[in-house]
PDB file of all heavy atoms in Angstrom:
ATOM      1  N   ALA A  25     -56.578  41.351  29.949  1.00 91.00           N
ATOM      2  CA  ALA A  25     -56.861  40.671  28.681  1.00 91.00           C
ATOM      3  C   ALA A  25     -57.996  41.357  27.931  1.00 91.00           C
ATOM      4  O   ALA A  25     -58.007  41.383  26.696  1.00 91.00           O
ATOM      5  CB  ALA A  25     -57.204  39.212  28.943  1.00 91.00           C
ATOM      6  N   VAL A  26     -58.934  41.922  28.669  1.00 90.00           N
ATOM      7  CA  VAL A  26     -60.076  42.590  28.046  1.00 90.00           C
ATOM      8  C   VAL A  26     -59.730  44.003  27.597  1.00 90.00           C
ATOM      9  O   VAL A  26     -60.114  44.443  26.505  1.00 90.00           O
ATOM     10  CB  VAL A  26     -61.273  42.622  29.024  1.00 90.00           C
ATOM     11  CG1 VAL A  26     -62.395  43.509  28.479  1.00 90.00           C
ATOM     12  CG2 VAL A  26     -61.785  41.215  29.275  1.00 90.00           C
ATOM     13  N   LEU A  27     -58.966  44.749  28.421  1.00 89.00           N
ATOM     14  CA  LEU A  27     -58.773  46.176  28.178  1.00 89.00           C
ATOM     15  C   LEU A  27     -57.571  46.508  27.298  1.00 89.00           C
ATOM     16  O   LEU A  27     -57.549  47.543  26.653  1.00 89.00           O
ATOM     17  CB  LEU A  27     -58.646  46.909  29.523  1.00 89.00           C
ATOM     18  CG  LEU A  27     -59.884  46.848  30.436  1.00 89.00           C
ATOM     19  CD1 LEU A  27     -59.617  47.623  31.727  1.00 89.00           C
ATOM     20  CD2 LEU A  27     -61.103  47.404  29.718  1.00 89.00           C
ATOM     21  N   VAL A  28     -56.543  45.647  27.306  1.00 89.00           N
ATOM     22  CA  VAL A  28     -55.333  45.945  26.522  1.00 89.00           C
ATOM     23  C   VAL A  28     -55.561  45.554  25.070  1.00 89.00           C
ATOM     24  O   VAL A  28     -55.961  44.432  24.769  1.00 89.00           O
ATOM     25  CB  VAL A  28     -54.116  45.195  27.109  1.00 89.00           C
ATOM     26  CG1 VAL A  28     -52.896  45.383  26.217  1.00 89.00           C
ATOM     27  CG2 VAL A  28     -53.816  45.694  28.519  1.00 89.00           C
ATOM     28  N   ARG A  29     -55.275  46.490  24.171  1.00 85.00           N
ATOM     29  CA  ARG A  29     -55.525  46.248  22.746  1.00 85.00           C
ATOM     30  C   ARG A  29     -54.357  45.593  22.045  1.00 85.00           C
ATOM     31  O   ARG A  29     -54.536  44.870  21.061  1.00 85.00           O
ATOM     32  CB  ARG A  29     -55.860  47.579  22.050  1.00 85.00           C
ATOM     33  CG  ARG A  29     -57.166  48.202  22.521  1.00 85.00           C
ATOM     34  CD  ARG A  29     -58.316  47.253  22.347  1.00 85.00           C
ATOM     35  NE  ARG A  29     -59.587  47.846  22.740  1.00 85.00           N
ATOM     36  CZ  ARG A  29     -60.703  47.151  22.891  1.00 85.00           C
ATOM     37  NH1 ARG A  29     -60.692  45.843  22.692  1.00 85.00           N
ATOM     38  NH2 ARG A  29     -61.832  47.744  23.244  1.00 85.00           N
ATOM     39  N   GLY A  30     -53.137  45.867  22.484  1.00 85.00           N
ATOM     40  CA  GLY A  30     -51.976  45.303  21.829  1.00 85.00           C
ATOM     41  C   GLY A  30     -51.732  43.852  22.233  1.00 85.00           C
ATOM     42  O   GLY A  30     -52.444  43.283  23.068  1.00 85.00           O
ATOM     43  N   GLU A  31     -50.689  43.271  21.626  1.00 86.00           N
ATOM     44  CA  GLU A  31     -50.371  41.878  21.918  1.00 86.00           C
ATOM     45  C   GLU A  31     -49.753  41.716  23.295  1.00 86.00           C
ATOM     46  O   GLU A  31     -50.016  40.741  24.004  1.00 86.00           O
ATOM     47  CB  GLU A  31     -49.394  41.329  20.868  1.00 86.00           C
ATOM     48  CG  GLU A  31     -48.961  39.888  21.121  1.00 86.00           C
ATOM     49  CD  GLU A  31     -47.943  39.398  20.114  1.00 86.00           C
ATOM     50  OE1 GLU A  31     -47.571  40.180  19.209  1.00 86.00           O
ATOM     51  OE2 GLU A  31     -47.501  38.234  20.232  1.00 86.00           O
ATOM     52  N   PHE A  32     -48.917  42.715  23.710  1.00 89.00           N
ATOM     53  CA  PHE A  32     -48.187  42.605  24.968  1.00 89.00           C
ATOM     54  C   PHE A  32     -48.815  43.464  26.051  1.00 89.00           C
ATOM     55  O   PHE A  32     -49.268  44.589  25.794  1.00 89.00           O
ATOM     56  CB  PHE A  32     -46.725  42.996  24.772  1.00 89.00           C
ATOM     57  CG  PHE A  32     -45.934  41.982  24.009  1.00 89.00           C
ATOM     58  CD1 PHE A  32     -45.758  42.104  22.638  1.00 89.00           C
ATOM     59  CD2 PHE A  32     -45.370  40.882  24.645  1.00 89.00           C
ATOM     60  CE1 PHE A  32     -45.043  41.172  21.922  1.00 89.00           C
ATOM     61  CE2 PHE A  32     -44.651  39.936  23.942  1.00 89.00           C
ATOM     62  CZ  PHE A  32     -44.485  40.081  22.580  1.00 89.00           C
ATOM     63  N   ILE A  33     -48.820  42.940  27.257  1.00 91.00           N
ATOM     64  CA  ILE A  33     -49.288  43.676  28.430  1.00 91.00           C
ATOM     65  C   ILE A  33     -48.063  44.245  29.120  1.00 91.00           C
ATOM     66  O   ILE A  33     -47.218  43.497  29.626  1.00 91.00           O
ATOM     67  CB  ILE A  33     -50.080  42.766  29.385  1.00 91.00           C
ATOM     68  CG1 ILE A  33     -51.354  42.284  28.685  1.00 91.00           C
ATOM     69  CG2 ILE A  33     -50.417  43.484  30.685  1.00 91.00           C
ATOM     70  CD1 ILE A  33     -52.139  41.262  29.479  1.00 91.00           C
ATOM     71  N   ASN A  34     -47.949  45.571  29.125  1.00 89.00           N
ATOM     72  CA  ASN A  34     -46.803  46.254  29.692  1.00 89.00           C
ATOM     73  C   ASN A  34     -47.116  46.767  31.088  1.00 89.00           C
ATOM     74  O   ASN A  34     -48.267  46.741  31.539  1.00 89.00           O
ATOM     75  CB  ASN A  34     -46.385  47.419  28.781  1.00 89.00           C
ATOM     76  CG  ASN A  34     -46.048  46.947  27.376  1.00 89.00           C
ATOM     77  OD1 ASN A  34     -45.211  46.070  27.198  1.00 89.00           O
ATOM     78  ND2 ASN A  34     -46.712  47.522  26.371  1.00 89.00           N
ATOM     79  N   ALA A  35     -46.071  47.262  31.754  1.00 88.00           N
ATOM     80  CA  ALA A  35     -46.259  47.780  33.112  1.00 88.00           C
ATOM     81  C   ALA A  35     -47.296  48.904  33.122  1.00 88.00           C
ATOM     82  O   ALA A  35     -48.104  49.005  34.057  1.00 88.00           O
ATOM     83  CB  ALA A  35     -44.917  48.276  33.662  1.00 88.00           C
ATOM     84  N   ALA A  36     -47.275  49.749  32.091  1.00 89.00           N
ATOM     85  CA  ALA A  36     -48.234  50.865  32.034  1.00 89.00           C
ATOM     86  C   ALA A  36     -49.678  50.376  31.957  1.00 89.00           C
ATOM     87  O   ALA A  36     -50.599  51.073  32.384  1.00 89.00           O
ATOM     88  CB  ALA A  36     -47.912  51.757  30.839  1.00 89.00           C
ATOM     89  N   ASP A  37     -49.879  49.184  31.414  1.00 90.00           N
ATOM     90  CA  ASP A  37     -51.236  48.629  31.309  1.00 90.00           C
ATOM     91  C   ASP A  37     -51.738  48.101  32.646  1.00 90.00           C
ATOM     92  O   ASP A  37     -52.927  47.794  32.781  1.00 90.00           O
ATOM     93  CB  ASP A  37     -51.264  47.486  30.294  1.00 90.00           C
ATOM     94  CG  ASP A  37     -50.868  47.937  28.898  1.00 90.00           C
ATOM     95  OD1 ASP A  37     -51.324  49.017  28.488  1.00 90.00           O
ATOM     96  OD2 ASP A  37     -50.093  47.217  28.246  1.00 90.00           O
ATOM     97  N   LEU A  38     -50.833  47.994  33.625  1.00 91.00           N
ATOM     98  CA  LEU A  38     -51.199  47.453  34.929  1.00 91.00           C
ATOM     99  C   LEU A  38     -51.248  48.547  35.984  1.00 91.00           C
ATOM    100  O   LEU A  38     -51.112  48.280  37.180  1.00 91.00           O
ATOM    101  CB  LEU A  38     -50.196  46.365  35.341  1.00 91.00           C
ATOM    102  CG  LEU A  38     -50.083  45.191  34.368  1.00 91.00           C
ATOM    103  CD1 LEU A  38     -48.893  44.309  34.727  1.00 91.00           C
ATOM    104  CD2 LEU A  38     -51.372  44.373  34.366  1.00 91.00           C
ATOM    105  N   ILE A  39     -51.468  49.794  35.536  1.00 88.00           N
ATOM    106  CA  ILE A  39     -51.486  50.920  36.449  1.00 88.00           C
ATOM    107  C   ILE A  39     -52.617  50.808  37.471  1.00 88.00           C
ATOM    108  O   ILE A  39     -52.573  51.405  38.546  1.00 88.00           O
ATOM    109  CB  ILE A  39     -51.606  52.246  35.654  1.00 88.00           C
ATOM    110  CG1 ILE A  39     -51.270  53.438  36.539  1.00 88.00           C
ATOM    111  CG2 ILE A  39     -52.986  52.376  35.016  1.00 88.00           C
ATOM    112  CD1 ILE A  39     -49.825  53.489  36.987  1.00 88.00           C
ATOM    113  N   PHE A  40     -53.629  50.022  37.133  1.00 87.00           N
ATOM    114  CA  PHE A  40     -54.749  49.871  38.071  1.00 87.00           C
ATOM    115  C   PHE A  40     -54.352  49.121  39.343  1.00 87.00           C
ATOM    116  O   PHE A  40     -55.046  49.171  40.345  1.00 87.00           O
ATOM    117  CB  PHE A  40     -55.919  49.148  37.401  1.00 87.00           C
ATOM    118  CG  PHE A  40     -55.610  47.769  36.897  1.00 87.00           C
ATOM    119  CD1 PHE A  40     -55.674  46.671  37.743  1.00 87.00           C
ATOM    120  CD2 PHE A  40     -55.245  47.563  35.578  1.00 87.00           C
ATOM    121  CE1 PHE A  40     -55.395  45.401  37.273  1.00 87.00           C
ATOM    122  CE2 PHE A  40     -54.955  46.286  35.103  1.00 87.00           C
ATOM    123  CZ  PHE A  40     -55.025  45.210  35.955  1.00 87.00           C
ATOM    124  N   LEU A  41     -53.211  48.412  39.302  1.00 84.00           N
ATOM    125  CA  LEU A  41     -52.713  47.815  40.533  1.00 84.00           C
ATOM    126  C   LEU A  41     -52.224  48.941  41.444  1.00 84.00           C
ATOM    127  O   LEU A  41     -51.491  49.825  41.007  1.00 84.00           O
ATOM    128  CB  LEU A  41     -51.565  46.851  40.237  1.00 84.00           C
ATOM    129  CG  LEU A  41     -51.921  45.620  39.405  1.00 84.00           C
ATOM    130  CD1 LEU A  41     -50.669  44.828  39.077  1.00 84.00           C
ATOM    131  CD2 LEU A  41     -52.905  44.740  40.156  1.00 84.00           C
ATOM    132  N   ALA A  42     -52.634  48.919  42.692  1.00 60.00           N
ATOM    133  CA  ALA A  42     -52.344  50.012  43.611  1.00 60.00           C
ATOM    134  C   ALA A  42     -50.851  50.300  43.665  1.00 60.00           C
ATOM    135  O   ALA A  42     -50.045  49.397  43.776  1.00 60.00           O
ATOM    136  CB  ALA A  42     -52.866  49.671  45.006  1.00 60.00           C
ATOM    137  N   GLU A  43     -50.499  51.587  43.577  1.00 48.00           N
ATOM    138  CA  GLU A  43     -49.097  51.989  43.568  1.00 48.00           C
ATOM    139  C   GLU A  43     -48.600  52.423  44.951  1.00 48.00           C
ATOM    140  O   GLU A  43     -47.455  52.805  45.108  1.00 48.00           O
ATOM    141  CB  GLU A  43     -48.902  53.152  42.582  1.00 48.00           C
ATOM    142  CG  GLU A  43     -49.144  52.792  41.141  1.00 48.00           C
ATOM    143  CD  GLU A  43     -48.030  51.933  40.569  1.00 48.00           C
ATOM    144  OE1 GLU A  43     -46.974  51.828  41.224  1.00 48.00           O
ATOM    145  OE2 GLU A  43     -48.214  51.380  39.482  1.00 48.00           O
ATOM    146  N   SER A  44     -49.477  52.383  45.950  1.00 35.00           N
ATOM    147  CA  SER A  44     -49.075  52.847  47.275  1.00 35.00           C
ATOM    148  C   SER A  44     -48.015  51.936  47.869  1.00 35.00           C
ATOM    149  O   SER A  44     -47.886  50.776  47.505  1.00 35.00           O
ATOM    150  CB  SER A  44     -50.288  52.881  48.211  1.00 35.00           C
ATOM    151  OG  SER A  44     -50.766  51.575  48.437  1.00 35.00           O
ATOM    152  N   GLN A  45     -47.260  52.482  48.799  1.00 36.00           N
ATOM    153  CA  GLN A  45     -46.192  51.699  49.431  1.00 36.00           C
ATOM    154  C   GLN A  45     -46.757  50.476  50.114  1.00 36.00           C
ATOM    155  O   GLN A  45     -46.119  49.418  50.136  1.00 36.00           O
ATOM    156  CB  GLN A  45     -45.436  52.567  50.445  1.00 36.00           C
ATOM    157  CG  GLN A  45     -44.260  51.849  51.117  1.00 36.00           C
ATOM    158  CD  GLN A  45     -43.517  52.749  52.063  1.00 36.00           C
ATOM    159  OE1 GLN A  45     -43.895  53.889  52.263  1.00 36.00           O
ATOM    160  NE2 GLN A  45     -42.447  52.236  52.644  1.00 36.00           N
ATOM    161  N   ALA A  46     -47.965  50.595  50.656  1.00 41.00           N
ATOM    162  CA  ALA A  46     -48.563  49.469  51.372  1.00 41.00           C
ATOM    163  C   ALA A  46     -48.843  48.306  50.454  1.00 41.00           C
ATOM    164  O   ALA A  46     -48.928  47.163  50.883  1.00 41.00           O
ATOM    165  CB  ALA A  46     -49.857  49.913  52.054  1.00 41.00           C
ATOM    166  N   SER A  47     -49.005  48.582  49.142  1.00 43.00           N
ATOM    167  CA  SER A  47     -49.345  47.501  48.213  1.00 43.00           C
ATOM    168  C   SER A  47     -48.142  46.967  47.476  1.00 43.00           C
ATOM    169  O   SER A  47     -48.263  46.128  46.597  1.00 43.00           O
ATOM    170  CB  SER A  47     -50.367  48.011  47.176  1.00 43.00           C
ATOM    171  OG  SER A  47     -49.741  48.905  46.287  1.00 43.00           O
ATOM    172  N   GLN A  48     -46.960  47.465  47.818  1.00 46.00           N
ATOM    173  CA  GLN A  48     -45.754  47.022  47.142  1.00 46.00           C
ATOM    174  C   GLN A  48     -44.941  46.108  48.044  1.00 46.00           C
ATOM    175  O   GLN A  48     -44.862  46.313  49.253  1.00 46.00           O
ATOM    176  CB  GLN A  48     -44.881  48.218  46.746  1.00 46.00           C
ATOM    177  CG  GLN A  48     -45.568  49.146  45.758  1.00 46.00           C
ATOM    178  CD  GLN A  48     -45.811  48.478  44.435  1.00 46.00           C
ATOM    179  OE1 GLN A  48     -44.900  47.945  43.846  1.00 46.00           O
ATOM    180  NE2 GLN A  48     -47.026  48.501  43.968  1.00 46.00           N
ATOM    181  N   VAL A  49     -44.308  45.107  47.456  1.00 44.00           N
ATOM    182  CA  VAL A  49     -43.388  44.247  48.193  1.00 44.00           C
ATOM    183  C   VAL A  49     -42.047  44.955  48.267  1.00 44.00           C
ATOM    184  O   VAL A  49     -41.483  45.331  47.244  1.00 44.00           O
ATOM    185  CB  VAL A  49     -43.221  42.890  47.490  1.00 44.00           C
ATOM    186  CG1 VAL A  49     -42.195  42.056  48.226  1.00 44.00           C
ATOM    187  CG2 VAL A  49     -44.543  42.171  47.419  1.00 44.00           C
ATOM    188  N   GLU A  50     -41.525  45.170  49.461  1.00 42.00           N
ATOM    189  CA  GLU A  50     -40.223  45.806  49.617  1.00 42.00           C
ATOM    190  C   GLU A  50     -39.139  44.733  49.689  1.00 42.00           C
ATOM    191  O   GLU A  50     -39.261  43.788  50.449  1.00 42.00           O
ATOM    192  CB  GLU A  50     -40.193  46.667  50.881  1.00 42.00           C
ATOM    193  CG  GLU A  50     -41.200  47.827  50.813  1.00 42.00           C
ATOM    194  CD  GLU A  50     -41.093  48.720  52.026  1.00 42.00           C
ATOM    195  OE1 GLU A  50     -40.142  48.514  52.824  1.00 42.00           O
ATOM    196  OE2 GLU A  50     -41.927  49.604  52.189  1.00 42.00           O
ATOM    197  N   ILE A  51     -38.078  44.933  48.929  1.00 38.00           N
ATOM    198  CA  ILE A  51     -36.996  43.967  48.935  1.00 38.00           C
ATOM    199  C   ILE A  51     -36.477  43.796  50.363  1.00 38.00           C
ATOM    200  O   ILE A  51     -36.162  44.759  51.044  1.00 38.00           O
ATOM    201  CB  ILE A  51     -35.845  44.424  48.023  1.00 38.00           C
ATOM    202  CG1 ILE A  51     -36.349  44.609  46.597  1.00 38.00           C
ATOM    203  CG2 ILE A  51     -34.694  43.445  48.080  1.00 38.00           C
ATOM    204  CD1 ILE A  51     -36.800  43.352  45.939  1.00 38.00           C
ATOM    205  N   GLY A  52     -36.386  42.569  50.811  1.00 40.00           N
ATOM    206  CA  GLY A  52     -35.886  42.291  52.143  1.00 40.00           C
ATOM    207  C   GLY A  52     -36.959  42.342  53.202  1.00 40.00           C
ATOM    208  O   GLY A  52     -36.723  41.954  54.340  1.00 40.00           O
ATOM    209  N   GLY A  53     -38.154  42.864  52.869  1.00 35.00           N
ATOM    210  CA  GLY A  53     -39.207  42.946  53.868  1.00 35.00           C
ATOM    211  C   GLY A  53     -40.351  42.017  53.560  1.00 35.00           C
ATOM    212  O   GLY A  53     -40.810  41.290  54.411  1.00 35.00           O
ATOM    213  N   GLY A  54     -40.824  42.056  52.296  1.00 37.00           N
ATOM    214  CA  GLY A  54     -41.974  41.251  51.953  1.00 37.00           C
ATOM    215  C   GLY A  54     -41.630  39.844  51.512  1.00 37.00           C
ATOM    216  O   GLY A  54     -42.491  38.997  51.433  1.00 37.00           O
ATOM    217  N   TRP A  55     -40.358  39.587  51.177  1.00 42.00           N
ATOM    218  CA  TRP A  55     -39.946  38.261  50.710  1.00 42.00           C
ATOM    219  C   TRP A  55     -39.045  37.603  51.751  1.00 42.00           C
ATOM    220  O   TRP A  55     -38.187  38.245  52.335  1.00 42.00           O
ATOM    221  CB  TRP A  55     -39.166  38.365  49.407  1.00 42.00           C
ATOM    222  CG  TRP A  55     -39.947  38.912  48.284  1.00 42.00           C
ATOM    223  CD1 TRP A  55     -41.291  38.878  48.124  1.00 42.00           C
ATOM    224  CD2 TRP A  55     -39.420  39.601  47.148  1.00 42.00           C
ATOM    225  NE1 TRP A  55     -41.641  39.486  46.959  1.00 42.00           N
ATOM    226  CE2 TRP A  55     -40.516  39.940  46.330  1.00 42.00           C
ATOM    227  CE3 TRP A  55     -38.150  39.950  46.727  1.00 42.00           C
ATOM    228  CZ2 TRP A  55     -40.374  40.611  45.140  1.00 42.00           C
ATOM    229  CZ3 TRP A  55     -38.022  40.615  45.528  1.00 42.00           C
ATOM    230  CH2 TRP A  55     -39.117  40.940  44.750  1.00 42.00           C
ATOM    231  N   PRO A  56     -39.207  36.306  52.003  1.00 44.00           N
ATOM    232  CA  PRO A  56     -38.285  35.626  52.902  1.00 44.00           C
ATOM    233  C   PRO A  56     -36.875  35.694  52.328  1.00 44.00           C
ATOM    234  O   PRO A  56     -36.649  35.428  51.162  1.00 44.00           O
ATOM    235  CB  PRO A  56     -38.799  34.181  52.934  1.00 44.00           C
ATOM    236  CG  PRO A  56     -40.205  34.263  52.424  1.00 44.00           C
ATOM    237  CD  PRO A  56     -40.229  35.418  51.471  1.00 44.00           C
ATOM    238  N   ASP A  57     -35.888  36.100  53.163  1.00 39.00           N
ATOM    239  CA  ASP A  57     -34.522  36.291  52.671  1.00 39.00           C
ATOM    240  C   ASP A  57     -33.986  35.046  51.985  1.00 39.00           C
ATOM    241  O   ASP A  57     -33.337  35.123  50.955  1.00 39.00           O
ATOM    242  CB  ASP A  57     -33.601  36.669  53.837  1.00 39.00           C
ATOM    243  CG  ASP A  57     -33.921  38.060  54.372  1.00 39.00           C
ATOM    244  OD1 ASP A  57     -34.564  38.824  53.634  1.00 39.00           O
ATOM    245  OD2 ASP A  57     -33.528  38.360  55.512  1.00 39.00           O
ATOM    246  N   GLU A  58     -34.259  33.876  52.553  1.00 39.00           N
ATOM    247  CA  GLU A  58     -33.673  32.668  52.014  1.00 39.00           C
ATOM    248  C   GLU A  58     -34.316  32.248  50.703  1.00 39.00           C
ATOM    249  O   GLU A  58     -33.773  31.439  49.971  1.00 39.00           O
ATOM    250  CB  GLU A  58     -33.790  31.516  53.027  1.00 39.00           C
ATOM    251  CG  GLU A  58     -35.207  31.053  53.291  1.00 39.00           C
ATOM    252  CD  GLU A  58     -35.965  31.895  54.294  1.00 39.00           C
ATOM    253  OE1 GLU A  58     -35.451  32.970  54.680  1.00 39.00           O
ATOM    254  OE2 GLU A  58     -37.058  31.488  54.704  1.00 39.00           O
ATOM    255  N   ASP A  59     -35.462  32.830  50.357  1.00 48.00           N
ATOM    256  CA  ASP A  59     -36.163  32.402  49.156  1.00 48.00           C
ATOM    257  C   ASP A  59     -35.889  33.323  47.975  1.00 48.00           C
ATOM    258  O   ASP A  59     -36.135  32.963  46.846  1.00 48.00           O
ATOM    259  CB  ASP A  59     -37.670  32.356  49.426  1.00 48.00           C
ATOM    260  CG  ASP A  59     -38.419  31.642  48.311  1.00 48.00           C
ATOM    261  OD1 ASP A  59     -38.047  30.512  47.991  1.00 48.00           O
ATOM    262  OD2 ASP A  59     -39.360  32.239  47.759  1.00 48.00           O
ATOM    263  N   LEU A  60     -35.366  34.525  48.212  1.00 54.00           N
ATOM    264  CA  LEU A  60     -35.194  35.492  47.140  1.00 54.00           C
ATOM    265  C   LEU A  60     -34.230  35.027  46.042  1.00 54.00           C
ATOM    266  O   LEU A  60     -34.581  35.072  44.865  1.00 54.00           O
ATOM    267  CB  LEU A  60     -34.742  36.832  47.723  1.00 54.00           C
ATOM    268  CG  LEU A  60     -34.561  37.970  46.708  1.00 54.00           C
ATOM    269  CD1 LEU A  60     -35.839  38.192  45.919  1.00 54.00           C
ATOM    270  CD2 LEU A  60     -34.125  39.240  47.416  1.00 54.00           C
TER     271      LEU A  60
END
C-alpha cells in the first residue's frame, strides 16, 4: 500500500515475497486435497 503508486497491486509489485521453492505452496502438497 505504501510502495505501489498505481491503483492496482499486481504480481510484479509483490516480487518481495520470496520466490524460492520453499516459500511456494505446491499444488497437492501444501494444500489439503479435500479442501482445494
